Amino acid sequence: RIWMADFDNSKILMYSADFTHLTSWGELGMDPGELYQPVSIAVRDGNVVVSDAKAIALFSESGAFRRNIATVSEGDGFGSVALSSQDLVYAVSSPSVDSKVSIFSLDGVARGDLVYETGLTPTDVTAGPGGVVFVLYVGYFDESSAKVVKFEVQ
Protein backbone atom coordinates (compact mmCIF):
# COMPACT_ATOMS: atom_id res chain seq x y z
CA ARG A 1 0.00 0.00 0.00
CA ILE A 2 1.02 3.56 -0.71
CA TRP A 3 0.12 6.21 1.85
CA MET A 4 0.17 9.95 1.20
CA ALA A 5 -0.52 13.08 3.24
CA ASP A 6 -2.57 15.61 1.24
CA PHE A 7 -1.45 18.97 2.67
CA ASP A 8 -3.90 21.15 0.72
CA ASN A 9 -7.04 19.12 1.44
CA SER A 10 -6.09 17.93 4.96
CA LYS A 11 -6.64 14.28 4.02
CA ILE A 12 -4.78 11.00 4.22
CA LEU A 13 -4.83 8.96 1.01
CA MET A 14 -4.23 5.23 0.53
CA TYR A 15 -3.51 3.58 -2.83
CA SER A 16 -2.75 0.07 -3.97
CA ALA A 17 0.66 -0.85 -5.41
CA ASP A 18 -0.69 -0.15 -8.91
CA PHE A 19 -1.87 3.27 -7.66
CA THR A 20 -5.58 2.47 -7.55
CA HIS A 21 -7.24 4.73 -4.99
CA LEU A 22 -8.42 2.62 -2.04
CA THR A 23 -9.55 5.15 0.55
CA SER A 24 -9.21 8.69 1.87
CA TRP A 25 -9.94 10.05 5.29
CA GLY A 26 -9.51 13.15 7.42
CA GLU A 27 -11.45 16.23 8.43
CA LEU A 28 -10.05 19.76 8.34
CA GLY A 29 -9.81 21.30 11.79
CA MET A 30 -7.76 22.05 14.86
CA ASP A 31 -9.46 19.68 17.33
CA PRO A 32 -8.05 16.26 18.30
CA GLY A 33 -8.63 13.81 15.45
CA GLU A 34 -8.90 16.55 12.84
CA LEU A 35 -6.12 17.37 10.39
CA TYR A 36 -4.63 20.76 9.62
CA GLN A 37 -2.13 20.68 6.76
CA PRO A 38 -0.68 17.18 7.23
CA VAL A 39 2.92 16.97 6.04
CA SER A 40 4.16 13.50 6.89
CA ILE A 41 2.84 10.01 7.56
CA ALA A 42 4.34 6.80 8.93
CA VAL A 43 2.56 3.44 8.87
CA ARG A 44 3.44 0.20 10.69
CA ASP A 45 1.40 -2.73 12.02
CA GLY A 46 -1.99 -1.01 11.69
CA ASN A 47 -0.78 2.24 13.26
CA VAL A 48 -0.87 5.43 11.19
CA VAL A 49 1.10 8.36 12.59
CA VAL A 50 0.39 11.74 11.01
CA SER A 51 2.18 15.04 11.62
CA ASP A 52 0.59 18.36 10.80
CA ALA A 53 0.77 22.02 11.77
CA LYS A 54 -0.61 21.37 15.26
CA ALA A 55 0.11 17.80 16.35
CA ILE A 56 1.39 14.31 15.85
CA ALA A 57 -1.64 12.03 15.93
CA LEU A 58 -2.20 8.28 15.95
CA PHE A 59 -4.95 6.78 13.78
CA SER A 60 -5.99 3.30 12.67
CA GLU A 61 -5.59 2.43 8.99
CA SER A 62 -9.32 3.13 8.53
CA GLY A 63 -8.87 6.64 9.93
CA ALA A 64 -10.24 6.13 13.44
CA PHE A 65 -8.56 8.63 15.76
CA ARG A 66 -6.77 6.98 18.67
CA ARG A 67 -4.92 9.84 20.38
CA ASN A 68 -2.60 12.78 20.02
CA ILE A 69 1.00 11.79 20.61
CA ALA A 70 2.28 15.37 20.84
CA THR A 71 0.93 18.88 20.24
CA VAL A 72 2.39 22.34 19.77
CA SER A 73 0.97 25.51 21.27
CA GLU A 74 2.51 27.85 18.72
CA GLY A 75 4.73 27.76 15.67
CA ASP A 76 4.62 25.54 12.63
CA GLY A 77 4.15 22.16 14.25
CA PHE A 78 5.99 19.08 13.10
CA GLY A 79 7.61 17.95 9.88
CA SER A 80 8.79 14.49 8.93
CA VAL A 81 7.81 11.53 11.15
CA ALA A 82 9.02 7.94 11.31
CA LEU A 83 7.69 4.94 13.24
CA SER A 84 10.16 2.30 14.39
CA SER A 85 9.62 -1.42 14.89
CA GLN A 86 9.96 -0.65 18.63
CA ASP A 87 6.83 1.56 18.35
CA LEU A 88 8.78 4.77 18.84
CA VAL A 89 7.81 7.88 16.91
CA TYR A 90 10.59 10.16 15.66
CA ALA A 91 9.46 13.66 14.73
CA VAL A 92 11.29 16.60 13.20
CA SER A 93 10.16 19.81 14.88
CA SER A 94 9.69 22.92 12.81
CA PRO A 95 12.73 25.22 12.63
CA SER A 96 10.54 28.01 14.02
CA VAL A 97 9.82 25.88 17.11
CA ASP A 98 13.17 24.35 18.11
CA SER A 99 14.58 22.43 15.15
CA LYS A 100 15.22 19.00 16.65
CA VAL A 101 14.18 15.36 16.35
CA SER A 102 11.99 14.32 19.26
CA ILE A 103 11.22 10.75 20.32
CA PHE A 104 7.79 9.69 21.63
CA SER A 105 6.13 6.41 22.52
CA LEU A 106 2.84 5.67 20.78
CA ASP A 107 1.00 6.60 23.98
CA GLY A 108 2.52 10.08 23.89
CA VAL A 109 5.31 9.79 26.44
CA ALA A 110 8.31 11.95 25.50
CA ARG A 111 11.41 9.74 25.35
CA GLY A 112 14.07 12.36 24.60
CA ASP A 113 15.67 13.92 21.55
CA LEU A 114 18.24 12.94 18.96
CA VAL A 115 21.01 15.51 19.26
CA TYR A 116 23.69 16.23 16.69
CA GLU A 117 25.59 19.47 17.24
CA THR A 118 26.49 20.89 13.85
CA GLY A 119 24.60 24.10 13.30
CA LEU A 120 22.65 22.23 10.63
CA THR A 121 18.87 21.75 10.69
CA PRO A 122 17.16 18.33 10.70
CA THR A 123 14.70 18.05 7.80
CA ASP A 124 13.87 14.35 7.42
CA VAL A 125 13.92 11.20 9.54
CA THR A 126 13.51 7.50 8.83
CA ALA A 127 13.60 4.48 11.12
CA GLY A 128 15.43 1.35 10.07
CA PRO A 129 15.58 -2.09 11.68
CA GLY A 130 16.96 -2.74 15.14
CA GLY A 131 16.71 0.77 16.56
CA VAL A 132 18.66 2.47 13.76
CA VAL A 133 17.41 5.96 12.86
CA PHE A 134 18.70 8.17 10.04
CA VAL A 135 18.31 11.95 10.09
CA LEU A 136 19.02 14.32 7.21
CA TYR A 137 20.58 17.61 8.31
CA VAL A 138 20.96 20.56 5.94
CA GLY A 139 22.15 24.12 5.95
CA TYR A 140 19.44 26.36 4.52
CA PHE A 141 21.81 28.45 2.44
CA ASP A 142 24.40 25.79 1.66
CA GLU A 143 23.05 22.56 0.17
CA SER A 144 26.57 21.13 0.01
CA SER A 145 26.51 20.92 3.81
CA ALA A 146 23.77 18.24 3.79
CA LYS A 147 24.63 15.25 5.93
CA VAL A 148 22.85 12.02 6.86
CA VAL A 149 23.53 10.99 10.46
CA LYS A 150 22.92 7.48 11.80
CA PHE A 151 21.70 7.09 15.38
CA GLU A 152 21.38 3.79 17.24
CA VAL A 153 18.52 4.07 19.73
CA GLN A 154 18.17 1.53 22.53
PDB file of all heavy atoms in Angstrom, residues 90-107:
ATOM      1  N   TYR A  90       9.533   9.151  15.800  1.00  0.00           N
ATOM      2  CA  TYR A  90      10.587  10.157  15.657  1.00  0.00           C
ATOM      3  C   TYR A  90       9.993  11.300  14.850  1.00  0.00           C
ATOM      4  O   TYR A  90       9.433  11.070  13.780  1.00  0.00           O
ATOM      5  CB  TYR A  90      11.802   9.566  14.939  1.00  0.00           C
ATOM      6  CG  TYR A  90      12.417   8.443  15.728  1.00  0.00           C
ATOM      7  CD1 TYR A  90      11.968   7.135  15.579  1.00  0.00           C
ATOM      8  CD2 TYR A  90      13.409   8.704  16.655  1.00  0.00           C
ATOM      9  CE1 TYR A  90      12.502   6.102  16.337  1.00  0.00           C
ATOM     10  CE2 TYR A  90      13.962   7.677  17.413  1.00  0.00           C
ATOM     11  CZ  TYR A  90      13.494   6.381  17.241  1.00  0.00           C
ATOM     12  OH  TYR A  90      14.029   5.372  18.001  1.00  0.00           O
ATOM     13  N   ALA A  91      10.111  12.519  15.369  1.00  0.00           N
ATOM     14  CA  ALA A  91       9.457  13.661  14.728  1.00  0.00           C
ATOM     15  C   ALA A  91      10.413  14.838  14.622  1.00  0.00           C
ATOM     16  O   ALA A  91      11.021  15.233  15.619  1.00  0.00           O
ATOM     17  CB  ALA A  91       8.229  14.079  15.520  1.00  0.00           C
ATOM     18  N   VAL A  92      10.505  15.392  13.420  1.00  0.00           N
ATOM     19  CA  VAL A  92      11.288  16.603  13.201  1.00  0.00           C
ATOM     20  C   VAL A  92      10.410  17.791  13.565  1.00  0.00           C
ATOM     21  O   VAL A  92       9.323  17.961  13.010  1.00  0.00           O
ATOM     22  CB  VAL A  92      11.760  16.714  11.738  1.00  0.00           C
ATOM     23  CG1 VAL A  92      12.468  18.031  11.500  1.00  0.00           C
ATOM     24  CG2 VAL A  92      12.660  15.541  11.373  1.00  0.00           C
ATOM     25  N   SER A  93      10.873  18.586  14.510  1.00  0.00           N
ATOM     26  CA  SER A  93      10.158  19.807  14.876  1.00  0.00           C
ATOM     27  C   SER A  93      10.444  20.887  13.856  1.00  0.00           C
ATOM     28  O   SER A  93      11.502  20.906  13.231  1.00  0.00           O
ATOM     29  CB  SER A  93      10.606  20.302  16.260  1.00  0.00           C
ATOM     30  OG  SER A  93      10.308  19.359  17.241  1.00  0.00           O
ATOM     31  N   SER A  94       9.519  21.805  13.729  1.00  0.00           N
ATOM     32  CA  SER A  94       9.693  22.919  12.813  1.00  0.00           C
ATOM     33  C   SER A  94      10.874  23.782  13.243  1.00  0.00           C
ATOM     34  O   SER A  94      11.087  23.993  14.434  1.00  0.00           O
ATOM     35  CB  SER A  94       8.427  23.762  12.803  1.00  0.00           C
ATOM     36  OG  SER A  94       8.672  25.006  12.220  1.00  0.00           O
ATOM     37  N   PRO A  95      11.630  24.319  12.278  1.00  0.00           N
ATOM     38  CA  PRO A  95      12.728  25.224  12.634  1.00  0.00           C
ATOM     39  C   PRO A  95      12.269  26.432  13.439  1.00  0.00           C
ATOM     40  O   PRO A  95      13.013  26.958  14.251  1.00  0.00           O
ATOM     41  CB  PRO A  95      13.292  25.658  11.285  1.00  0.00           C
ATOM     42  CG  PRO A  95      12.917  24.562  10.353  1.00  0.00           C
ATOM     43  CD  PRO A  95      11.588  24.042  10.855  1.00  0.00           C
ATOM     44  N   SER A  96      11.026  26.850  13.261  1.00  0.00           N
ATOM     45  CA  SER A  96      10.543  28.005  14.020  1.00  0.00           C
ATOM     46  C   SER A  96      10.198  27.634  15.458  1.00  0.00           C
ATOM     47  O   SER A  96      10.018  28.500  16.297  1.00  0.00           O
ATOM     48  CB  SER A  96       9.324  28.634  13.340  1.00  0.00           C
ATOM     49  OG  SER A  96       8.228  27.761  13.407  1.00  0.00           O
ATOM     50  N   VAL A  97      10.109  26.323  15.747  1.00  0.00           N
ATOM     51  CA  VAL A  97       9.820  25.877  17.108  1.00  0.00           C
ATOM     52  C   VAL A  97      11.133  25.642  17.839  1.00  0.00           C
ATOM     53  O   VAL A  97      11.509  26.373  18.723  1.00  0.00           O
ATOM     54  CB  VAL A  97       8.939  24.606  17.119  1.00  0.00           C
ATOM     55  CG1 VAL A  97       8.721  24.114  18.526  1.00  0.00           C
ATOM     56  CG2 VAL A  97       7.615  24.877  16.433  1.00  0.00           C
ATOM     57  N   ASP A  98      11.874  24.593  17.466  1.00  0.00           N
ATOM     58  CA  ASP A  98      13.168  24.355  18.108  1.00  0.00           C
ATOM     59  C   ASP A  98      14.105  23.491  17.287  1.00  0.00           C
ATOM     60  O   ASP A  98      15.186  23.178  17.736  1.00  0.00           O
ATOM     61  CB  ASP A  98      13.003  23.772  19.505  1.00  0.00           C
ATOM     62  CG  ASP A  98      12.121  22.546  19.499  1.00  0.00           C
ATOM     63  OD1 ASP A  98      11.908  21.953  18.438  1.00  0.00           O
ATOM     64  OD2 ASP A  98      11.656  22.185  20.587  1.00  0.00           O
ATOM     65  N   SER A  99      13.703  23.096  16.096  1.00  0.00           N
ATOM     66  CA  SER A  99      14.580  22.426  15.147  1.00  0.00           C
ATOM     67  C   SER A  99      15.338  21.248  15.748  1.00  0.00           C
ATOM     68  O   SER A  99      16.548  21.285  15.910  1.00  0.00           O
ATOM     69  CB  SER A  99      15.554  23.450  14.560  1.00  0.00           C
ATOM     70  OG  SER A  99      16.192  22.898  13.439  1.00  0.00           O
ATOM     71  N   LYS A 100      14.604  20.202  16.084  1.00  0.00           N
ATOM     72  CA  LYS A 100      15.217  19.001  16.647  1.00  0.00           C
ATOM     73  C   LYS A 100      14.402  17.784  16.230  1.00  0.00           C
ATOM     74  O   LYS A 100      13.328  17.908  15.643  1.00  0.00           O
ATOM     75  CB  LYS A 100      15.279  19.093  18.163  1.00  0.00           C
ATOM     76  CG  LYS A 100      13.915  19.141  18.828  1.00  0.00           C
ATOM     77  CD  LYS A 100      14.036  19.284  20.329  1.00  0.00           C
ATOM     78  CE  LYS A 100      12.659  19.368  20.971  1.00  0.00           C
ATOM     79  NZ  LYS A 100      12.746  19.565  22.418  1.00  0.00           N
ATOM     80  N   VAL A 101      14.910  16.602  16.556  1.00  0.00           N
ATOM     81  CA  VAL A 101      14.179  15.362  16.346  1.00  0.00           C
ATOM     82  C   VAL A 101      13.794  14.840  17.726  1.00  0.00           C
ATOM     83  O   VAL A 101      14.657  14.528  18.547  1.00  0.00           O
ATOM     84  CB  VAL A 101      15.017  14.321  15.582  1.00  0.00           C
ATOM     85  CG1 VAL A 101      14.243  13.014  15.446  1.00  0.00           C
ATOM     86  CG2 VAL A 101      15.414  14.854  14.212  1.00  0.00           C
ATOM     87  N   SER A 102      12.502  14.787  17.981  1.00  0.00           N
ATOM     88  CA  SER A 102      11.992  14.320  19.263  1.00  0.00           C
ATOM     89  C   SER A 102      11.545  12.871  19.146  1.00  0.00           C
ATOM     90  O   SER A 102      11.119  12.425  18.081  1.00  0.00           O
ATOM     91  CB  SER A 102      10.808  15.176  19.716  1.00  0.00           C
ATOM     92  OG  SER A 102      11.216  16.513  19.881  1.00  0.00           O
ATOM     93  N   ILE A 103      11.624  12.162  20.266  1.00  0.00           N
ATOM     94  CA  ILE A 103      11.223  10.754  20.320  1.00  0.00           C
ATOM     95  C   ILE A 103      10.034  10.632  21.276  1.00  0.00           C
ATOM     96  O   ILE A 103      10.064  11.169  22.379  1.00  0.00           O
ATOM     97  CB  ILE A 103      12.369   9.865  20.838  1.00  0.00           C
ATOM     98  CG1 ILE A 103      13.652  10.101  20.044  1.00  0.00           C
ATOM     99  CG2 ILE A 103      11.961   8.389  20.788  1.00  0.00           C
ATOM    100  CD1 ILE A 103      14.885   9.476  20.673  1.00  0.00           C
ATOM    101  N   PHE A 104       8.988   9.923  20.820  1.00  0.00           N
ATOM    102  CA  PHE A 104       7.792   9.687  21.630  1.00  0.00           C
ATOM    103  C   PHE A 104       7.405   8.220  21.546  1.00  0.00           C
ATOM    104  O   PHE A 104       7.605   7.570  20.521  1.00  0.00           O
ATOM    105  CB  PHE A 104       6.600  10.510  21.109  1.00  0.00           C
ATOM    106  CG  PHE A 104       6.825  11.982  21.077  1.00  0.00           C
ATOM    107  CD1 PHE A 104       7.260  12.607  19.923  1.00  0.00           C
ATOM    108  CD2 PHE A 104       6.592  12.758  22.203  1.00  0.00           C
ATOM    109  CE1 PHE A 104       7.463  13.973  19.882  1.00  0.00           C
ATOM    110  CE2 PHE A 104       6.793  14.125  22.176  1.00  0.00           C
ATOM    111  CZ  PHE A 104       7.233  14.740  21.011  1.00  0.00           C
ATOM    112  N   SER A 105       6.785   7.714  22.602  1.00  0.00           N
ATOM    113  CA  SER A 105       6.134   6.409  22.519  1.00  0.00           C
ATOM    114  C   SER A 105       4.773   6.621  21.862  1.00  0.00           C
ATOM    115  O   SER A 105       4.291   7.754  21.766  1.00  0.00           O
ATOM    116  CB  SER A 105       5.960   5.804  23.916  1.00  0.00           C
ATOM    117  OG  SER A 105       5.110   6.619  24.687  1.00  0.00           O
ATOM    118  N   LEU A 106       4.148   5.535  21.424  1.00  0.00           N
ATOM    119  CA  LEU A 106       2.839   5.669  20.781  1.00  0.00           C
ATOM    120  C   LEU A 106       1.770   6.197  21.732  1.00  0.00           C
ATOM    121  O   LEU A 106       0.764   6.736  21.291  1.00  0.00           O
ATOM    122  CB  LEU A 106       2.377   4.333  20.186  1.00  0.00           C
ATOM    123  CG  LEU A 106       3.025   3.939  18.868  1.00  0.00           C
ATOM    124  CD1 LEU A 106       2.534   2.564  18.428  1.00  0.00           C
ATOM    125  CD2 LEU A 106       2.776   4.968  17.788  1.00  0.00           C
ATOM    126  N   ASP A 107       1.981   6.048  23.041  1.00  0.00           N
ATOM    127  CA  ASP A 107       1.000   6.595  23.982  1.00  0.00           C
ATOM    128  C   ASP A 107       1.302   8.038  24.375  1.00  0.00           C
ATOM    129  O   ASP A 107       0.665   8.600  25.258  1.00  0.00           O
ATOM    130  CB  ASP A 107       0.847   5.708  25.214  1.00  0.00           C
ATOM    131  CG  ASP A 107       2.137   5.510  25.982  1.00  0.00           C
ATOM    132  OD1 ASP A 107       3.178   6.053  25.585  1.00  0.00           O
ATOM    133  OD2 ASP A 107       2.108   4.789  26.993  1.00  0.00           O
TER     134      ASP A 107
END
